[in-house]
Amino acid sequence: MPTEIRLLVVMDPIDSIKPAKDSTLAMLLAAQKRGWNLFYAGQKDLWLRDGVAFGRLAPLRVADDPARWFDLGAAEIAPLGGCDVVLMRKDPPFDTEYIYTTYLLERARDQGALVVNDPRGLRDMNEKVYTAWFPECCAPTLITRDMRDMGEFLREHGKAVCKPLHGMGGRSIFVLEEGDKNRNVVFETLTDYGSRYAIVQRYLPEITTAGDCRIILVDGEPVPYALRRIPDETDNRGNLAAGARAETRPLTDRDRWLCSRIGPALRQAGMIFVGLDVIGDYVTEINVTSPTGIRELDKKCGVDIGGTFMNAIADRLG
């Protein structure tokens, strides 16, 4: 492993995060504690020239202080391949600009940087579609543009969750029951009248009591506690951004079985930090872009997920 680690984080504007809850800040604090040199850039600061990935990289210091959690130095132009680690923590939407950024980061990887998570995996593993690679871990799921097929699925299961393939934080998630007069307009909205794919899953009633549980995998291995996100009584969504309540619980045997099925594939693909969303006995999403939950689990369970993550990165660096 190099003696002086240079870690670049690519993220949304650091001045706009909520430091008490931000998982990326927890990661950076753990890296800084190790004595690693931190640098910061946004998507707009990255480019390719003649096949080489470059960026305007600003030296970064972080602090666990809600009043002042970062300091930035003057940015300098440098090849991204000169960094030891590039931490890709840009939030969705997963749009064409995000995809272009993964191409650029792939060149950085080929030129010597360890990119976390691997840019090819970020492109290939849509957080909702990638569940199809593990059907034994999932409730019945339909991904389609056909509104009639969506209606048939709803009739078959009586109650279903419908959502877009590109959303995050509980946006545009609908719960429909058979006979709901809004179902056609929901299908029309999600598929843009049959021109876009959407996902429909059998409704899992455990969400109301057990919550939508986030299990964090670090290099394929689960953190021993899950973050339970309990929906508000007036809402169906188990997302903290949508007002859900945060609790924790130890992993169950079923949780560990799910992780044993999915974790090895993620590790092999270079997806070092991943969040599984689990309702009842089933995985509903595999979050690979910028999964969260570190701060809540660290605080409530006395773990150090950021430190575990940095250990995994150090192992990869050798």
Side-chain angles (χ1 to χ4, degrees), residues 135-315:
E136 73 278 12
C137 299
C138 305
T141 301
L142 172 69
I143 298 172
T144 185
R145 294 161 56 148
D146 192 304
M147 293 180 282
R148 289 173 298 180
D149 288 347
M150 296 171 83
E152 287 296 327
F153 185 94
L154 179 58
R155 279 189 284 275
E156 177 183 352
H157 294 286
K159 193 171 184 178
V161 176
C162 312
K163 49 190 174 181
L165 295 180
H166 62 277
M168 65 165 287
R171 297 173 187 170
S172 301
I173 293 178
F174 299 88
V175 175
L176 294 174
E177 296 189 37
E178 185 180 6
D180 192 319
K181 292 184 178 181
N182 288 310
R183 69 177 187 271
N184 288 336
V185 72
V186 169
F187 298 157
E188 291 164 1
T189 299
L190 291 178
T191 67
D192 194 13
Y193 293 88
S195 65
R196 295 179 181 174
Y197 284 99
I199 185 169
V200 189
Q201 295 171 318
R202 188 183 75 195
Y203 178 77
L204 299 170
E206 293 89 344
I207 190 172
T208 60
T209 54
D212 183 346
C213 294
R214 166 62 53 83
I215 299 173
I216 292 177
L217 295 174
V218 179
D219 214 8
E221 294 295 325
V223 171
Y225 300 94
L227 181 65
R228 299 174 62 207
R229 299 165 298 180
I230 312 294
D232 182 88
E233 293 180 356
T234 62
D235 207 321
N236 288 304
R237 297 170 296 174
N239 303 85
L240 299 182
R245 183 176 76 255
E247 298 180 359
T248 61
R249 64 164 176 77
L251 297 191
T252 66
D253 289 343
R254 174 68 177 182
D255 294 332
R256 295 185 183 278
W257 182 84
L258 295 171
C259 294
S260 74
R261 302 293 294 178
I262 299 171
L266 294 169
R267 186 179 193 280
Q268 186 175 6
M271 312 309 282
I272 302 179
F273 193 85
V274 177
L276 304 185
D277 288 348
V278 175
I279 300 175
D281 288 336
Y282 299 106
V283 172
T284 60
E285 294 188 13
I286 302 174
N287 295 275
V288 301
T289 50
S290 57
T292 61
I294 287 181
R295 300 289 257 179
E296 293 86 354
L297 285 167
D298 281 356
K299 181 178 179 180
K300 293 176 181 291
C301 301
V303 291
D304 178 16
I305 298 171
T308 301
F309 181 41
M310 292 305 133
N311 289 341
I313 289 176
D315 289 344

Side-chain angles (χ1 to χ4, degrees), residues 22-148:
D22 194 83
S23 290
T24 303
L25 180 61
M27 296 172 179
L28 295 172
L29 288 166
Q32 184 173 271
K33 187 176 180 180
R34 282 176 163 266
W36 294 3
N37 299 314
L38 305 184
F39 298 86
Y40 167 87
Q43 280 180 293
K44 64 180 178 59
D45 299 312
L46 310 179
W47 71 91
L48 282 173
R49 175 66 187 265
D50 300 326
V52 179
F54 288 93
R56 291 183 182 86
L57 314 185
L60 172 66
R61 295 288 298 176
V62 290
D64 197 5
D65 182 346
R68 184 170 181 172
W69 56 92
F70 74 98
D71 282 298
L72 288 176
E76 295 186 0
I77 294 174
L80 301 189
C83 297
D84 299 291
V85 183
V86 178
L87 190 59
M88 177 53 166
R89 290 289 298 178
K90 171 72 178 67
D91 284 342
F94 190 86
D95 54 15
T96 53
E97 291 302 310
Y98 195 106
I99 291 172
Y100 297 150
T101 304
T102 66
Y103 290 131
L104 198 153
L105 293 176
E106 190 167 351
R107 293 301 297 151
R109 183 200 66 189
D110 295 344
Q111 290 153 12
L114 172 65
V115 181
V116 182
N117 283 322
D118 186 86
R120 184 169 296 178
L122 292 176
R123 283 199 305 276
D124 290 350
M125 297 178 182
N126 177 278
E127 304 188 333
K128 298 172 179 64
V129 180
Y130 190 57
T131 57
W133 272 248
F134 308 96
E136 73 278 12
C137 299
C138 305
T141 301
L142 172 69
I143 298 172
T144 185
R145 294 161 56 148
D146 192 304
M147 293 180 282
R148 289 173 298 180

